[in-house]
Every structure is written in C-alpha cells, then in structure tokens.
Amino acid sequence: LDELFARVNQNNVSWLRLSVVADIAKSLGITSMAEVEEMLSMFHELGVLVHLTTTQSLRQIVTMKPQWLIDGICRVIRDPDLHPIKDNEVENAGLTKDLSKMYESGLASWDLLEFLLVRNDRGEFRDQTHFLLDLMKHMILLSDWKFNKEKLYLIPSLLKDRPRNQLHGDLSENENGRVYLQSASACIFDFSKKFLPVGIFQRVVCIC
C-alpha cells in the first residue's frame, strides 16, 4: 500500500492503472493477479482506496485519492447559477444547444459530457470519459437514454421541477395509446400489468 501511495505522490496523480498496480505488486513478490485483486478488494472495503469492478473501464482504474472522483462528477452535476460555464467556451465547442438541453431536460450528449470533463483540465480527466460515465451509472447518478437515435444520457439530479398543471398541458398520446410528455423528461411506473423488482422502489425513493 505504501508503494502505491508513493507512486501516486511521485507522479502527482490521483489514480493508477490496474496494470501499474500489478507491476508494483510483482516487484514486491506478488505475482498472482488474483491476489492483487483480492488485496484491492480488501483495501476498497476498508475505505483506503476505491476500486470498482462492475465494468471493464472501472476495473482498470485504482483511485488512490477519492476527491478526484468527486471533482470529476462535479464537472457534470453542478448548479449553473453558482458555477456557470462561460458562454464563449461552449459556443466555440459548438455545444450551446447541448448545454441548454442538459439543464432544461437533464439529457446530455456524449460530446457535451466529454467537453465538461476535459475543459480547463490539467490532464486529470483526459481519456477518462468512459470511466467517469461508468462510475456515475454505478452510483445511479446517470443512465443511458435509449429513446432517441442520438446517444444521450439522463442525469436525474439536473431535472427541473415543473408545476403539475404545466405537465398536464404537455401530455400527448402516441399511436399505441401510450401517454407521454412532449417537452419534459419523466419517469412513469405502470403497475397495471407488471411489478417492480424487490428493492427498486426503495432506491427510487432515496434518489427522489
């Protein structure tokens, strides 16, 4: 563990690739990858470092300084009034409409997320877009939006509250008789034919 922190401090970084951790372990006589991952799992449980394994992108990064994760998330989930982004930066990147859409409906494009993560970056988040998006999915802060041809991501915490009467004004019906909202992102649970898996309702309550 001391060797890992020494490498992080020496290179002035917040994380290490799994392959680097494996090389350091090998230099200390630990040659089994299974032992390395078991060690990382134990340190993760103790809160010494962060190592998630639910996706390949998450598995490849060992975070030694958790503040780096918070900083990355805060580049996306932020109050635009308290932490505004300069209009000229967004305009120069051609993402003015994307940014407005994100703050209005909670839907963000890949290009916008990548821009937000690397803007004013000193190399901390470069090439880490996949990792940080997988992290946000893991923490239920973001999910894929699969209702458009364009690849979008829904960020629930950026959704704006709207008056109930305004929502009713936007209600429409498609050819299948399904009711939907024309100009707002909404989550509707229909219990008429199916039921929610155990634990989902409690998690939704926590998020809301």
Side-chain angles (χ1 to χ4, degrees), residues 22-157:
D23 289 340
I24 293 173
K26 189 175 182 181
S27 70
L28 298 173
I30 304 174
T31 57
S32 169
M33 196 61 200
E35 289 185 40
V36 172
E37 294 193 343
E38 185 175 350
M39 172 195 70
L40 291 174
S41 177
M42 181 188 71
F43 286 143
H44 175 83
E45 291 296 326
L46 292 173
V48 178
L49 50 77
V50 178
H51 184 232
L52 303 170
T53 58
T54 50
T55 70
Q56 193 61 21
S57 294
L58 291 176
R59 181 175 174 270
Q60 294 303 316
I61 300 297
V62 179
T63 305
M64 306 301 297
K65 298 179 181 180
Q67 183 63 43
W68 175 72
L69 301 177
I70 298 172
D71 292 343
I73 293 171
C74 289
R75 283 174 169 261
V76 176
I77 301 178
R78 54 199 288 154
D79 187 324
D81 295 325
L82 295 176
H83 305 285
I85 300 173
K86 293 180 181 179
D87 292 337
N88 63 323
E89 289 184 58
V90 181
E91 188 176 349
N92 291 339
L95 296 170
T96 303
K97 290 183 178 179
D98 294 56
L99 186 66
S100 297
K101 185 174 185 177
M102 183 179 76
Y103 286 133
E104 178 63 31
S105 64
L107 294 173
S109 65
W110 169 272
D111 290 339
L112 176 62
L113 292 173
E114 192 168 40
F115 165 77
L116 293 175
L117 289 171
V118 301
R119 63 179 287 272
N120 298 331
D121 180 30
R122 298 187 300 273
E124 299 171 281
F125 302 102
R126 195 161 299 142
D127 301 324
Q128 295 304 320
T129 304
H130 284 289
F131 170 80
L132 288 166
L133 291 188
D134 279 357
L135 173 71
M136 293 175 70
K137 290 178 188 178
H138 178 83
M139 299 176 69
I140 324 179
L141 296 173
L142 170 148
S143 61
D144 293 307
W145 183 258
K146 301 179 181 179
F147 303 97
N148 298 82
K149 292 182 180 180
E150 182 185 1
K151 189 173 182 62
L152 296 172
Y153 301 89
L154 175 64
I155 306 171
S157 59

Side-chain angles (χ1 to χ4, degrees), residues 149-167:
K149 292 182 180 180
E150 182 185 1
K151 189 173 182 62
L152 296 172
Y153 301 89
L154 175 64
I155 306 171
S157 59
L158 294 182
L159 288 172
K160 292 184 177 180
D161 291 332
R162 302 183 66 187
R164 188 175 180 83
N165 60 346
Q166 186 178 355
L167 290 178

Side-chain angles (χ1 to χ4, degrees), residues 184-199:
S185 301
C187 179
I188 301 174
F189 294 104
D190 184 355
F191 295 94
S192 61
K193 296 181 180 179
K194 297 182 180 180
F195 58 90
L196 287 175
V198 175

